[in-house]
Amino acid sequence: TFRNKKGFRTLSFERGSIQSVSGSDVVIKSPDGTTWTWKIVSDTVVRKNGGKTTASALSAGETVFAGGPVVSGARDARLIIVLAPRSMRHNET
């Protein structure tokens, strides 16, 4: 949570695997078992393999990072990055 000229804002982020994609909702489960639903909004940016793609390209089982503001209790995904499978990541220690 932080304060700007308009008041307090809350940002949220999660790294985990997509459990489901339905309409404008993406359900992500993190390794600790936390499961959050993220809303795809008009300015959501989705990146995969180093380039931009669309939310329709997301699928269950993919490992992702999602982040964005919490608006009226809902998590608005402003950025979703599809991460390479662990076996394909370079320089991971």
Side-chain angles (χ1 to χ4, degrees):
T1 301
F2 66 96
R3 184 177 187 164
N4 66 11
K5 292 179 182 179
K6 296 180 181 180
F8 289 97
R9 301 219 24 194
T10 301
L11 296 178
S12 187
F13 64 90
E14 181 178 26
R15 181 177 175 166
S17 61
I18 295 177
Q19 300 299 295
S20 65
V21 181
S22 177
S24 63
D25 290 345
V26 177
V27 178
I28 300 172
K29 183 176 182 179
S30 64
D32 70 358
T34 302
T35 302
W36 286 344
T37 300
W38 292 84
K39 298 283 182 193
I40 302 296
V41 293
S42 62
D43 55 351
T44 297
V45 173
V46 179
R47 298 191 63 84
K48 186 174 185 175
N49 298 325
K52 284 187 178 183
T53 187
T54 62
S56 63
L58 298 172
S59 60
E62 291 180 305
T63 300
V64 296
F65 169 88
V70 178
V71 179
S72 301
R75 288 172 178 82
D76 287 356
R78 298 296 170 88
L79 175 64
I80 298 176
I81 301 171
V82 178
L83 303 172
R86 186 172 295 272
S87 63
M88 296 182 72
R89 293 184 200 153
H90 300 286
N91 300 325
E92 188 173 284
T93 57

